[in-house]
Structure formats: C-alpha cells, structure tokens
Amino acid sequence: MTTETHEEAKFEFQAEVRQLLDIVINSLYTDKEIFVRELVSNASDALEKLRHVQLTEREIFDDGLGLDINITTDDTAKTITISDYGIGLTRDEMIENLGTIAHSGTKKFLHSLEDGDAARGNVIGKFGVGFYSAFMVAKQVRVYSHSWREDGEHLCWTSDGRSGFEITDAPGQRRGTKIVVELTEEYEEFSKKERVKRLLERYSNYVSFPIFLNGERINTVEAIWLKQKSEVTDEQYTEFYKFASKMYDEPRYRLHFNADVPLEIHSLLFVPKDNQEKFGFGRMEPGVALYCRKVLIDENPEKLLPEWLRFVRGVIDSSDIPLNISRETMQDSALLQKINSVITKRFLKFLDKQAKDDPDGYEEFFKEFGRYLKEGTASDYGYRDQLPKLLRFESSMTEAGKLTSLADYLARKKEEQKDIYYLSGPSRDAIENGPYLEAFRARGIEVLFCTDGADEYVINALYQFEEHSFTSADRADLSLDDLPAEEVPQEEALAEEDSKALCAWIKEQLGDRVEEVAVGKRLVQSPAVAFNSDAHMTSHMRQMMRAMEQDVSKLKVKLEINPRHALVKNLATARESRPEIAGMIANQILDNALFSAGLLEENKDMVQRAYDIMARAIE
Ligand code: ADP
Ligand code: MG
C-alpha cells in the first residue's frame, strides 16, 4: 500500500465535458431520476470488470470483499451514496474517465445536439450521459476510490459540475468506488429511501450483483435465461416476462433456447398475447435486450433481430460479445448479424413446431401476429425456406374465420391444377359475393382470400410456392377447363351464331366503354362479368393506382356474357324488337358488372339509367 501523499490538484474539464455538463444541468429534461440507474450501472460495470481481473490477476487490493453494490440515503445530509467494491479508479483514470469524453454514448449525445434544442430532452435518456447525469441533481459530487491495483492511491475526486474538479488524498478507502451525491434542494427527494427504492426496482432489478439500499436487499429477479429449463417454473417464466418486457398480459409463446455452436447463446423469447400495434399505439420498439453474461449491452438493439420480429420480447445473452463493446460498433458487427440469423431461424422453427403441434393455437397467434410474418415474407429474402410455410389465409374452402396454410392448399388442389388462385377484396363476404369466385367454385377449385391489404404484396413478393405460381382469379386471360357436367346449368344456351351476333351488337352499343365483348366460359349464375383487359392488372392493383391518384378510367375493360342467362337470351331478341331499351340494358349490364367487380369509376349514369329502365318497365 502506498503512503505517498500528493498535493491537492485542480483540473479543468475538457471543453466538450463543459458543454455537456452545461446542457445536462440546464436542460429542461424532467426525467432526472435516471442518474440513479446510470450510477448503479457504472457500479455493476466496475464489479463485472473486477470479476474479469480476478480471473487473470493474482494480486488484488482488498481481495475477499463481496461483489455487492451498496446504496445509502441520508435525508438529513441530503445525500445519496452509491458504492461498489469494483475495479475502482487510479488517479490517471479519474482524470481520463471523469474529466474527458471518450466513450461513444456521450459522443453520440453531443452529435445529436446539433439537431437542435428540441431534441435535447429525450436524447439524455436515450444515450445515457452516464456519470455526468449526477450533476442534474447535485450541488457537488465526490468520488472516493481505490483501484484494484495494490499500488493504487486512496483518492477523492470532487466537482460541482461547473468548471472543473479536484483530486485530493482520502486515506482509508476500500477497494472500488463510493460516489456521494450531495443533492440540491430541488432534488432532495433522492435522499429518501422509498423514492430510491422504487427507482432501483424499476431500473436495476436485472443487475446481477446484489444491490442493498440502506442494508435492504433490493434486486431479486434472477437471470433465469442462464438456467436449465428444468430449473425454471412456468410462474417464474411468466413473472420474468412481465418484469422484463413491462407487459401485463400472459405470454402466448415462450422459447427458452441455449446453444454452444456456432455461438454461445442463451435466449429467452416471448410472444405476447396481444399485438400492440393493432391498438394503434404506433410502431413497436425492438423488445429483445442484448446481454453479455448478465450484463446489459443494449436494451433495444435495432439489429439484434429482423425488424419484422419486433413483436418478440425477451433476452439474448451471448458471452461471445466483448463486454466493453459500444453500442455504436455493436450495430454493424458481424457477430450481431450471426446472432440475428441463428436466433431468427430457431424462432421460425419454433413457430413451425407450434403450428404442427397445436394448429388452433397457431391460428390464434397468426390472427394476432401474422402481419409481421407477412412483412418478413415481403421484405426479407433470407427466410424463404421458412416464412411462406408459416403463412395462413382464409379461402373458399375454409369456414369463415378459419385459415389454411399454403401446403394444405396444395394438398387439396385438383390433380391437374398448376396455379394457386387467390382473390383480393375488403372482406370474405365481398369476395364470396363478387363476380369472380363462381367459376372456381363450380369447378371445385380452391381460391385463397386476400382480405388484408398486405396479402397481395406478400403473394407478389413470393411469386411461387413450391413451384406453383400464384394467379389472381380475376385475370381476364385465365383459361379454365369446361365445367364438369353436373355443374352445367340446365338452361339452354344461345346458339353460337346468335351469341356472336349479340356480342357484336353489345360492343356497338357500348363503344369505347369496353375493349371487347365475348361469350364467357366462366359464368354460372351471373349474366355478365367485367375484367381489366390487361391480364396483369388485378382489381387490387387498380385500387392501388386509384389510391395513388392515377387515372384508372382509361384502363380497358373486357365484358364476358353468359349465354345461358335469361336476361342475355332475352336481350338477343329485344335488340331487334325493342332496340332502345335493349341498348340501355346493355349499358346497365356493363355498369352492374363493373360495379360488382369494384371497377366502376362513376355511378351517376348508372343510377339515372336504372330509373329510366324502371320507369319503362312499370309503364
Ligand atoms: P460509460 O459507463 O458509458 O463508460 P459513464 O459516463 O457512465 O460512461 O462513465 C465514465 C467512465 O467513468 C466509465 O467508463 C468508467 O471508466 C468510469 N467510472 C464511472 N463509474 C465508475 C465506478 N463506479 N467504478 C469505476 N469506474 C467508474
Ligand atoms: Mg455508465
């Protein structure tokens, strides 16, 4: 132990520190309480570092002290004191670490200030200005310390957070650091035990070292992700989920997963019961925290999991992450990408198993969170083996509200059927009552119902599933087989020549309104059906164009008529006997067909014409 004494030494803060302190102290930021979290996490860091030092060094000052964090409040002296038996600080380290800005979080903070004053408030919380946050509430901060090094000094660093600090000798220090925060009158509340206790419970329950507040043990939540599954009860899992994710529901799924290769990973993931984005609370923050051996690296790391897994909550712990890694370097590290893909694959495999073991439960999950899997399918090509299998759709062969997988669709399809058919619409009802389904229903061909706006994007992005292309059932150029004999309506059809003549006449009546009029193969019940002539222009795409304010009125339409339908047959006669009303009816048939296909752009004429026809009918 050194007995050498030093002169009192005064130092100026580095200019950047002064700038930072000025902002921290004068900021209107209301969340002053985070200073407790920052100092506790520094204490925890110091203990963690000591643990590492203990692995490699034989000579350690004050060896044998417990790795605890002790916090005391004194509401007479108006102080809060945070002490740890961690690595401590040497004189040089005090000057360097408490007097200059070298670390990333604070640098980032300073950069962000260039974006203007408005940003000030929340950035403090986001980056954590660490140690300096104590000056938000302090008249004076004293840092007593002795380094773990046997030849360290007994020191006290003192500052009021304005211009500089001084370092004096302070004999009798234990190993580690004791930080005494002398509170300003305004923030005396932090010298009250109850106030601090609530804070610790909120922010520091994860800290893996025992925290004592005025002698009382505070943190009790264990890092259960590091345990064996058999050692953890359901209640413990649920309790952990609620605490860790700040959620109030019961988790829907949980995946506790440990691996040694290719990386050492301990992860505990949860899927909540409810999808929060559904309630319109805005986009969820990533909810899986990154730890390295129980020490928090980042609470909401952006790239730890793909964005479309942002509904997953929990913890990933990997001892392969260097402990002192900064958030900045973390974001782009190859290691993070590796963890990302290992966990994502594992999680999707887990979902697949759930879908097999408990299809109903999975269906419930999909109704709540399927959107994210669709987002992943449409945006992320990396999981094409796994994601499409997990998708679910309603279809013409499911009961309302029930879903089918693509694999089950293929298992049911007609032997000679190549494509997977789908129809988009605002609801199951709308699709079932629309003009396009009947042809498929009559032929026993299943059609997927895309009732979610995202569905068609997903299908377009997928393009194929197990080498079967997706085809929209409203395409004009579909060639469907003839109806099976039992489905052919009894009514006799118009003779072929008469049909042709009728088509030509209708085309004449409708002029530019249609590109083509033809006898339709598909029709069973309806007199007519309208299509976009452009085979690739599905009705959904047309709606999208309309939403983007593109002119869709010029898109060409094809009309198919049903030669068995009474209206069509009568029209064939009426066009000669009563040409005037026959012409009106031809136009009305087109408008009706456009309307039921969602293609009608203008309904003024349609309504007026309907009145005219009614007036004549009642004469
Ligand atoms: P960060 O924790 O992000 O490094 P801080 O501002 O919180 O930034 O702390 C600055 C530095 O001060 C730390 O990196 C560490 O070197 C030193 N320090 C702070 N508190 C302690 C402590 N309790 N024991 C040892 N060193 C500490
Ligand atoms: Mg810190």
Side-chain angles (χ1 to χ4, degrees), residues 38-39 41-47 49 82-84 86-89 93 96-98 100 103-106 127-133 143 145 176-179:
E38 293 297 330
L39 297 187
S41 88
N42 284 351
S44 169
D45 290 348
L47 288 166
K49 287 174 193 159
I82 291 122
S83 52
D84 63 75
I87 51 164
L89 292 151
E93 284 165 351
E96 175 70 21
N97 300 344
L98 305 182
T100 62
H103 43 290
S104 64
T106 317
F127 299 115
V129 287
F131 171 73
Y132 300 112
S133 62
V143 181
S145 194
T177 307
K178 178 171 85 181
I179 299 182

Side-chain angles (χ1 to χ4, degrees), residues 419 421 440 471-480 522 535 560:
D419 292 355
Y421 294 103
F440 290 81
T471 299
S472 180
D474 62 2
R475 276 177 69 149
D477 65 341
L478 290 183
S479 61
L480 293 176
R522 309 194 190 196
E560 283 186 7

Side-chain angles (χ1 to χ4, degrees), residues 449-463:
F449 292 168
C450 297
T451 50
D452 175 1
D455 287 338
E456 193 151 355
Y457 288 107
V458 171
I459 279 175
N460 285 333
L462 271 181
Y463 181 60

Side-chain angles (χ1 to χ4, degrees), residues 257-268:
F257 154 69
N258 298 324
D260 295 325
V261 278
L263 289 166
E264 204 204 316
I265 294 179
H266 301 271
S267 72
L268 179 52

